[in-house]
C-alpha cells in the first residue's frame, strides 16, 4: 500500500517534466506491458504494448478513457482523481499526439456539480486539442443530465447526441442512459434513432464509422443491465458500412465482439474494475482487488486510424 | 434470501394474531399491523424482498447496501423518487392508499420491485 501511494505521488506530481516522464516509464516497466490491438479487415490482432510501439501509416489517433467516477472514495480505489491523473499522464506521454480525447461516460459517481467541476479541471491536463464526452447513468441522476450537458454537451441537438468527422472517419456520439424504463436496459429512443438513420444516410459505405455510447450497444450481459434495448435498430443502420467500430464503457473491463463488419469494444475504467459477466451476485466495484494490483485493471485506449486499410487499430494500455 | 427470512421471523407473531389459529396463510402474504416500518434492502443490484405486501399506513424504508448508488423511482410516478442513494443511505415512503406500486432503480432499470398496499 505504502509503495503504491508513493509511486502515485511521484508519478502525478511531475506531469510534463522530464523527471515525471522517467518515473512514468519506470512505472510502465514495473507494471508490465498492455495490449496493442490491430484491426485489419475486421480481424483483431493483439500485441503486447511497450513504449516502442508504433503503428505505421496511422493518419491520426485518439484516446478513449471511461468511467472515472469522480466522487467514489471506497475500496478498491479511494483515489479516483489520482488514477485518472495517471491515465491522462499516459496520454501526454504518447509519442504521437492524439487528435482528441474521448470519455465514454460515468465522469462522476453521483452527478454532483462539484464532481463535474473536478473532472472538467482534470481533463484540461490532457494535452489534446479536443475532448468529447457522452454521459453515463451516473452523470444524469436527478436532473436528466442538465449538469452534464451544460458543461460537456456538444449542443448539436436537444437530445445531446452528435456526430463529427475526423480525417474521413465519421464519429457518432449516442446517449443511451436517459428515459430508462422499469425492467429495461439502456435506451436510445425513437428520436435519436431517427436522427442516426438520417445522419448516416448520406455517407458512402466505404466511410469508416466509429460509434460511441456509455452502455454497451450489444447484449453483453442483460442480466446485469449490460446492454441497450433498442441497439439492434441502430446496428441495422450500420451494417452496410465496411468498417464500423463501437466503443462503450460502463462495465469497467475489456470485452470484445466482432459481428460482420462491426467490431464492439468496452473500455476499462480509470477508477475501479467490475467483475466479469455473471461472476458473483452482481456488478459493482470489485472490492477484492488490492491497491497493489489495482493498476492492472485500469486503463486507457488509444485508437489509431490507418488510412490505407480503412480499418482501425485499437491499442489497450494498462494503467501502470 | 436472508432479509426476507428475517422479516418472516419477526412477523410471525403478527401473522398468528391476524390469521387466528385455524386459518392457514403463507407467511409472505401476511400483512403486518398498521404503523409498522418495513425494510427493503438494496443489495447486489436487487431489491430484497422484491415484493412486499403491507397494510395502508406502512412506512417502507429502503437501505442501499451496495457500493453503487441507486435511485428508488416509482414506475407510474405514484410516489416521489429518491435522490441518489449512496452506500448506506436510506429512503422512506409511507403508503396511505391501497394499490400496487411498482418501482425500479432509474439508473439500473433492471432492478424492479413491488409494494402492494392493502
Amino acid at each position: 500500500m505504502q509503495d503504491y501511494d508513493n509511486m502515485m505521488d511521484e508519478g502525478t506530481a511531475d506531469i510534463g517534466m522530464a523527471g515525471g516522464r522517467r518515473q512514468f516509464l519506470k512505472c510502465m516497466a514495473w507494471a508490465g506491458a498492455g495490449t496493442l490491438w490491430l484491426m485489419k479487415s475486421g480481424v483483431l490482432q493483439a500485441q503486447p504494448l511497450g513504449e516502442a510501439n508504433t503503428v505505421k501509416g496511422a493518419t491520426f489517433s485518439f484516446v478513449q478513457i471511461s468511467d472515472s467516477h469522480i466522487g467514489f472514495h471506497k475500496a478498491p480505489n479511494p483515489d479516483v482523481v489520482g488514477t485518472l491523473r495517471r491515465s491522462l499522464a499516459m496520454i501526454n506521454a504518447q509519442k504521437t499526439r492524439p487528435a482528441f480525447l474521448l470519455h465514454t461516460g460515468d465522469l462522476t459517481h453521483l452527478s454532483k456539480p462539484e464532481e463535474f467541476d473536478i473532472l472538467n479541471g482534470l481533463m484540461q491536463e490532457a494535452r489534446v486539442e479536443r475532448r468529447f464526452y457522452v454521459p453515463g447513468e451516473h452523470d444524469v441522476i436527478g436532473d436528466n443530465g442538465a449538469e452534464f450537458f451544460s458543461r460537456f454537451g456538444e449542443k448539436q441537438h436537444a437530445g445531446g447526441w452528435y456526430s463529427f468527422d475526423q480525417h474521413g472517419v465519421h464519429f457518432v456520439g449516442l446517449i443511451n442512459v436517459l428515459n430508462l424504463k422499469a425492467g429495461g436496459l439502456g435506451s436510445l429512443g425513437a428520436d435519436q434513432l431517427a436522427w442516426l438513420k438520417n445522419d448516416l444516410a448520406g455517407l458512402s459505405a466505404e466511410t469508416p464509422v466509429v460509434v460511441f455510447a456509455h452502455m454497451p450497444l450489444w447484449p453483453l450481459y442483460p442480466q446485469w443491465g449490460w446492454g441497450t434495448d433498442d441497439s439492434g435498430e441502430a446496428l441495422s443502420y450500420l451494417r452496410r458500412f465496411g468498417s464500423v467500430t463501437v466503443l462503450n464503457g460502463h462495465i469497467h473491463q475489456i470485452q470484445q465482439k466482432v459481428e460482420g463488419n462491426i467490431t464492439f469494444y468496452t473500455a476499462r475504467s480509470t477508477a475501479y474494475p467490475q467483475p466479469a459477466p455473471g461472476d458473483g451476485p452482481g456488478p459493482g466495484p470489485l472490492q477484492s482487488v488490492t491497491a497493489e494490483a489495482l493498476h492492472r485493471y485500469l486503463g486507457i485506449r488509444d485508437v489509431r486510424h490507418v488510412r490505407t486499410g480503412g480499418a482501425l487499430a485499437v491499442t489497450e494500455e494498462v494503467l501502470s | 434470501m436472508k432479509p426476507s427470512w428475517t422479516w418472516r421471523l419477526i412477523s410471525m407473531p403478527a401473522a398468528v394474531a391476524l390469521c387466528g389459529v385455524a386459518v392457514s396463510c403463507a407467511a409472505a402474504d401476511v400483512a403486518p399491523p398498521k404503523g409498522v416500518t418495513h425494510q427493503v434492502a438494496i443489495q447486489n443490484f436487487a431489491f430484497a424482498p422484491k415484493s412486499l405486501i403491507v397494510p395502508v399506513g406502512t412506512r417502507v424504508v429502503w437501505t442501499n447496501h451496495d457500493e453503487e448508488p441507486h435511485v428508488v423511482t416509482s414506475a407510474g410516478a405514484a410516489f416521489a423518487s429518491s435522490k441518489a442513494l449512496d452506500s448506506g443511505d436510506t429512503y422512506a415512503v409511507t403508503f396511505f392508499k391501497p394499490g400496487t406500486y411498482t418501482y425500479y432503480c432509474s439508473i439500473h432499470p433492471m432492478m424492479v420491485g413491488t409494494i402492494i398496499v392493502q
Side-chain angles (χ1 to χ4, degrees):
Chain A
M1 183 69 189
Q2 193 58 48
D3 288 347
Y4 177 71
D5 285 345
N6 288 340
M7 188 83 77
M8 295 288 291
D9 290 340
E10 289 166 22
T12 54
D14 296 326
I15 289 171
M17 299 171 67
R21 179 165 170 78
R22 270 199 302 276
Q23 182 62 40
F24 165 74
L25 293 174
K26 195 173 115 189
C27 288
M28 278 187 72
W30 165 75
T35 309
L36 173 69
W37 293 105
L38 298 171
M39 193 171 78
K40 294 178 178 172
S41 305
V43 179
L44 270 178
Q45 298 172 358
Q47 290 178 15
L49 183 70
E51 57 185 275
N53 277 122
T54 55
V55 177
K56 287 182 181 175
T59 50
F60 74 100
S61 67
F62 69 96
V63 172
Q64 178 194 8
I65 60 173
S66 200
D67 296 85
S68 298
H69 286 262
I70 299 300
F72 181 84
H73 52 80
K74 294 179 178 172
N77 185 3
D79 183 20
V80 296
V81 167
T83 49
L84 172 57
R85 277 212 155 108
R86 291 297 302 278
S87 291
L88 298 174
M90 292 179 79
I91 293 165
N92 291 342
Q94 296 293 310
K95 286 175 183 168
T96 307
R97 192 167 164 178
F100 59 84
L101 174 56
L102 170 64
H103 197 301
T104 44
D106 282 358
L107 287 56
T108 70
H109 199 56
L110 295 172
S111 303
K112 292 179 179 173
E114 58 268 30
E115 295 173 345
F116 284 118
D117 288 340
I118 290 169
L119 186 284
N120 199 14
L122 291 168
M123 292 291 280
Q124 306 311 313
E125 294 179 6
R127 288 195 288 273
V128 292
E129 286 182 17
R130 300 178 76 184
R131 298 162 189 83
F132 294 97
Y133 303 83
V134 283
E137 77 283 1
H138 285 249
D139 300 321
V140 299
I141 299 171
D143 69 351
N144 286 325
E147 293 283 350
F148 171 89
F149 288 115
S150 71
R151 290 169 178 79
F152 307 106
E154 286 294 313
K155 300 179 176 65
Q156 286 184 13
H157 302 277
W161 43 83
Y162 59 94
S163 65
F164 62 93
D165 294 287
Q166 179 83 34
H167 287 82
V169 179
H170 191 66
F171 288 82
V172 182
L174 299 180
I175 294 170
N176 58 357
V177 296
L178 287 172
N179 305 312
L180 306 185
K181 291 170 187 63
L185 304 171
S187 174
L188 294 165
D191 288 352
Q192 184 167 208
L193 287 168
W195 170 85
L196 177 65
K197 192 174 187 179
N198 186 55
D199 181 72
L200 298 171
L203 300 176
S204 77
E206 288 74 40
T207 309
V209 179
V210 177
V211 177
F212 53 95
H214 178 66
M215 290 185 175
L217 288 168
W218 46 296
L220 199 156
Y221 197 68
Q223 297 92 321
W224 284 2
W226 293 356
T228 300
D229 278 329
D230 47 5
S231 61
E233 179 71 14
L235 297 177
S236 73
Y237 309 152
L238 292 160
R239 293 199 201 285
R240 72 180 175 90
F241 292 95
S243 166
V244 178
T245 307
V246 178
L247 302 177
N248 299 123
H250 189 55
I251 68 165
H252 298 208
Q253 61 193 288
I254 302 164
Q255 294 283 343
Q256 306 161 59
K257 180 188 171 187
V258 179
E259 192 180 295
N261 293 335
I262 304 177
T263 307
F264 301 85
Y265 301 91
T266 60
R268 286 186 166 114
S269 160
T270 67
Y272 57 86
Q274 294 199 89
D279 185 7
L286 203 54
Q287 291 174 291
S288 59
V289 175
T290 63
E292 289 76 13
L294 179 64
H295 62 88
R296 286 188 221 134
Y297 294 86
L298 308 181
I300 59 174
R301 168 170 288 150
D302 182 6
V303 181
R304 297 182 178 90
H305 176 235
V306 185
R307 187 187 287 277
T308 49
L312 295 173
V314 179
T315 71
E316 187 82 36
E317 193 160 351
V318 173
L319 175 59
S320 55
Chain B
M1 303 281 275
K2 200 176 176 185
S4 167
W5 176 239
T6 310
W7 178 84
R8 268 184 234 174
L9 284 177
I10 293 166
S11 307
M12 203 51 78
V16 173
L18 282 173
C19 300
V21 240
V23 183
S24 133
C25 49
D29 295 330
V30 169
K34 284 190 178 185
V36 160
T37 293
H38 265 257
Q39 303 287 335
V40 176
I42 307 175
Q43 200 150 20
N44 295 323
F45 287 71
F47 297 106
K50 186 177 166 68
S51 183
L52 188 61
I53 301 173
V54 297
V56 168
T58 298
R59 184 168 175 263
V60 177
V61 179
W62 288 267
T63 304
N64 182 15
H65 299 289
D66 276 348
E67 294 298 330
E68 278 274 315
H70 296 293
V71 183
V72 176
T73 308
S74 166
F79 60 86
S81 295
S82 74
K83 292 181 174 159
L85 302 179
D86 206 352
S87 187
D89 286 355
T90 63
Y91 180 61
V93 173
T94 303
F95 292 89
F96 294 107
K97 287 184 181 175
T100 298
Y101 297 84
T102 300
Y103 64 93
Y104 65 110
C105 172
S106 64
I107 56 174
H108 308 109
M110 75 287 190
M111 296 169 56
V112 180
T114 309
I115 308 290
I116 299 167
V117 182
Q118 295 177 331

